[in-house]
Amino acid sequence: MTVDFELLFQELSSPYMVLDRQLCFVTANKAYERATNRSCDELVGRNVFDLFPNEGESGQRLKASFKRVLETGEQDTLAYIPYDIPRPESEGGGMEQRYWTAVHTPLADDNGAVEFIVQNTVDVTDLVRLRQAAHLPFRLDEVRLLERAREAERQHQDLHAESENFRRLFQQAPSLIAVLSGPDHVFTFANDAYMRLIGERAILGKPLTEALPEIEGQGYVELLDKVYRTGKAVSGEAGRALLQTEDEEKPREVFFDFTYDPIRDEDGNISGVFVQGMDRTEAVRTQKRQRLLLDELNHRVKNTLATVQSIASQTMRTARDLTSAREDLESRIIALSNAHNILSVQEWANAELSALVNQELIAYGPERYVCKGSWVVLNPKTAIALALVLHEITTNAAKYGALSTAEGCVRIEWKVDLKSGQLVITWQEESGPVVKQPDYKGFGSRMIHRVVEGELDGEFQAQFDSGGYSCRIAIPYEVAVQ
């Protein structure tokens, strides 16, 4: 079966036109003629801005878009542009306000220079008016497959040369395009984008189930059968498929928008199916990640609020007076906030232990402390818990220990003990005042034990020696990092 690409171009339901470097019309399909109320004969050879003048902002944006394509050789998209078009005299004449989405795609000559610009236009006037009537924000995703663009060259008198140009148009199109022939859906054409999606397999001349055997049982063969049998187009958004080439160890999940349109011969009989679509794999994965992040954020906010509530309750219960309660509560919430800041930079994926230590102690000056340890990346739960523990220990050092004097300093070291499978953190104060074990455990001390031993399933040991306060924190490594 020989594919007549000019016929396919004409029958596409989305408006397309081709401009040369002087921005004069080379050709346009039927959908474009209907959208602009102009026939192809009226368009060809005429400058686009002579036929559709616009000296306002929209006209300047359109000119700038064409200029970018000609200068850069890259595709350019105008996602939303108001642009008036002449109304036919039979309908009262004058100008009609319309709203559009346009994708401009360059088509290069044999030397790589941009020779033509293909415009795929979508009239979104009805959507805009609906939005205005309902006072809803305009959603670009309501315009399906906005990014579909086509490349084309000027029309040639010779039909063979013209078909070759249109073939190149479809071959280089950014959207997925394939032509299937007969009831077995034999591949007679597949463009570059389609080939990339399926893994560059040799599919031309093969039935669909032979070319892509893994597609059986996923529902797409049945949809193609329905289009071929009934002559009615079928479409879908973000359809999921599992693809697997011989070189791939396991199936690869892809998502795509698709439209299956019947192809008819000169007698009106269905001879095949025209497949077009857009690879949405990354977009769908991004949406899933965002949904997961939102769920995770909701969970973390609830946990954080519970932590703040607990800190506030315990602080007020054990405070000596209102002033000290306010100061203690404020410093503890700030420590919690600082841990959140570190996690936010990493998109709540992890936090590095040395960053937590430095953040807590940097205010006392780098000469007042030494931190030493291997690179350890903590999970969010452990990072927040250790941030609170480090804050309590540092606060005690600033009130009663080594950081309360000008000469005192602190040494913090950590390592992963492979034998015990623990992350071990040691805190040693030096050159500070003589310390002694307190007569009772305040909220800070109780919180340290509860966090380390309860939340992190670890161990906490503190010593009040004449040389200075010291403590040891041991946490199962798997709990800290996973």
Side-chain angles (χ1 to χ4, degrees):
M1 174 181 176
T2 300
V3 179
D4 189 335
F5 287 96
E6 181 181 3
L7 177 61
L8 287 175
F9 177 77
Q10 288 297 329
E11 295 300 325
L12 286 174
S13 59
S14 185
Y16 285 84
M17 63 85 157
V18 182
L19 301 176
D20 61 18
R21 291 189 64 85
Q22 287 70 46
L23 305 184
C24 292
F25 282 92
V26 174
T27 188
N29 70 351
K30 295 177 183 179
Y32 189 88
E33 293 178 313
R34 291 191 295 269
T36 60
N37 298 315
R38 296 290 187 112
S39 69
C40 191
D41 291 339
E42 293 178 274
L43 298 172
V44 172
R46 300 285 301 279
N47 185 278
V48 63
F49 293 106
D50 290 341
L51 289 174
F52 305 108
N54 189 313
E55 298 300 328
E57 179 185 355
S58 295
Q60 295 301 317
R61 289 177 60 201
L62 187 59
K63 289 178 183 178
S65 179
F66 288 146
K67 183 178 180 182
R68 284 193 293 270
V69 174
L70 291 173
E71 291 180 350
T72 67
E74 297 180 356
Q75 187 184 85
D76 192 73
T77 299
L78 295 174
Y80 175 64
I81 177 172
Y83 205 101
D84 298 351
I85 63 171
R87 184 185 291 111
E89 293 298 332
S90 60
E91 299 179 12
M95 302 296 288
E96 180 180 4
Q97 187 179 46
R98 308 293 290 177
Y99 298 87
W100 312 86
T101 287
V103 179
H104 299 140
T105 304
L107 185 65
D109 59 19
D110 293 338
N111 296 320
V114 177
E115 187 173 6
F116 300 99
I117 298 175
V118 180
Q119 183 191 76
N120 174 206
T121 315
V122 178
D123 186 347
V124 296
T125 304
D126 291 341
L127 290 174
V128 174
R129 289 174 179 168
L130 178 62
R131 185 266 305 178
Q132 292 172 342
H135 302 290
L136 293 173
F138 179 52
R139 292 182 58 197
L140 295 180
D141 60 350
E142 291 178 82
V143 184
R144 187 166 55 88
L145 301 179
L146 290 181
E147 294 294 329
R148 292 184 301 164
R150 308 288 188 267
E151 289 90 5
E153 290 188 7
R154 76 180 68 170
Q155 290 182 319
H156 293 281
Q157 296 299 320
D158 183 82
L159 181 60
H160 175 73
E162 187 175 71
S163 295
E164 286 300 314
N165 289 334
F166 279 106
R167 183 181 184 88
R168 187 145 56 99
L169 177 156
F170 284 94
Q171 192 70 45
Q172 298 178 13
S175 56
L176 310 170
I177 296 178
V179 177
L180 307 178
S181 176
D184 294 329
H185 314 303
V186 176
F187 280 98
T188 58
F189 175 81
N191 74 342
D192 295 341
Y194 193 94
M195 294 298 289
R196 285 194 296 270
L197 180 72
I198 65 170
E200 303 291 348
R201 285 180 267 185
I203 61 173
L204 295 184
K206 297 180 180 179
L208 174 64
T209 54
E210 178 184 342
L212 307 174
E214 72 277 13
I215 209 68
E216 283 195 271
Q218 299 190 44
Y220 296 102
V221 177
E222 292 77 7
L223 289 177
L224 290 166
D225 289 340
K226 180 179 178 181
V227 174
Y228 190 85
R229 184 178 65 255
T230 66
K232 295 181 179 180
V234 172
S235 62
E237 295 185 3
R240 176 180 179 270
L242 296 176
L243 301 177
Q244 184 176 14
T245 65
E246 293 181 355
D247 297 331
E248 292 175 317
E249 296 182 359
K250 60 182 181 178
R252 171 170 45 93
E253 185 180 49
V254 298
F255 297 89
F256 52 91
D257 295 342
F258 64 91
T259 299
Y260 298 156
D261 292 290
I263 300 174
R264 299 181 183 272
D265 58 22
E266 295 178 356
D267 298 326
N269 298 317
I270 299 174
S271 60
V273 179
F274 180 70
V275 177
Q276 59 178 327
M278 183 65 69
D279 186 354
R280 291 279 309 284
T281 303
E282 287 305 316
V284 171
R285 288 175 180 170
T286 298
Q287 290 174 356
K288 288 185 176 181
R289 285 194 294 268
Q290 289 175 340
R291 192 178 304 117
L292 179 63
L293 285 173
L294 286 174
D295 292 341
E296 180 70 13
L297 178 61
N298 184 51
H299 173 71
R300 294 191 189 285
V301 167
K302 290 181 179 179
N303 286 346
T304 300
L305 290 175
T307 301
V308 171
Q309 184 180 25
S310 175
I311 290 174
S313 175
Q314 293 292 332
T315 300
M316 299 301 295
R317 187 180 305 163
T318 59
R320 296 184 302 274
D321 51 53
L322 187 60
T323 299
S324 63
R326 187 186 69 248
E327 293 175 352
D328 291 345
L329 178 60
E330 181 178 291
S331 65
R332 286 162 180 162
I333 292 179
I334 289 175
L336 184 64
S337 174
N338 289 336
H340 277 239
N341 289 338
I342 292 177
L343 289 168
S344 295
V345 172
Q346 300 296 326
E347 298 182 350
W348 278 84
N350 48 52
E352 210 279 310
L353 178 55
S354 65
L356 291 178
V357 174
N358 281 290
Q359 182 173 252
E360 187 60 47
L361 290 167
I362 191 64
Y364 299 95
E367 70 281 357
R368 302 295 302 278
Y369 70 96
V370 176
C371 61
K372 180 181 179 182
S374 57
W375 181 267
V376 176
V377 178
L378 306 172
N379 59 43
K381 175 184 176 181
T382 304
I384 292 175
L386 281 181
L388 292 173
V389 170
L390 288 171
H391 173 73
E392 292 301 325
I393 297 175
T394 303
T395 299
N396 287 335
K399 288 182 177 180
Y400 316 111
L403 297 180
S404 66
T405 66
E407 298 79 17
C409 64
V410 176
R411 177 179 294 275
I412 309 100
E413 298 183 357
W414 61 88
K415 66 178 180 178
V416 178
D417 189 331
L418 298 179
K419 185 177 181 179
S420 64
Q422 291 180 315
L423 170 63
V424 179
I425 305 171
T426 58
W427 173 288
Q428 177 66 58
E429 298 181 18
E430 301 173 354
S431 302
V434 177
V435 295
K436 63 176 183 177
Q437 188 163 345
D439 297 330
Y440 71 98
K441 288 185 177 181
F443 166 66
S445 178
R446 293 199 303 273
M447 185 187 72
I448 290 174
H449 282 276
R450 185 173 66 249
V451 169
V452 175
E453 298 169 359
E455 292 187 22
L456 302 180
D457 194 27
E459 304 169 2
F460 179 79
Q461 299 173 345
Q463 293 187 4
F464 297 84
D465 297 331
S466 58
Y469 172 82
S470 65
C471 66
R472 179 180 182 274
I473 302 170
I475 306 168
Y477 185 69
E478 290 186 356
V479 172
V481 301
Q482 290 184 356

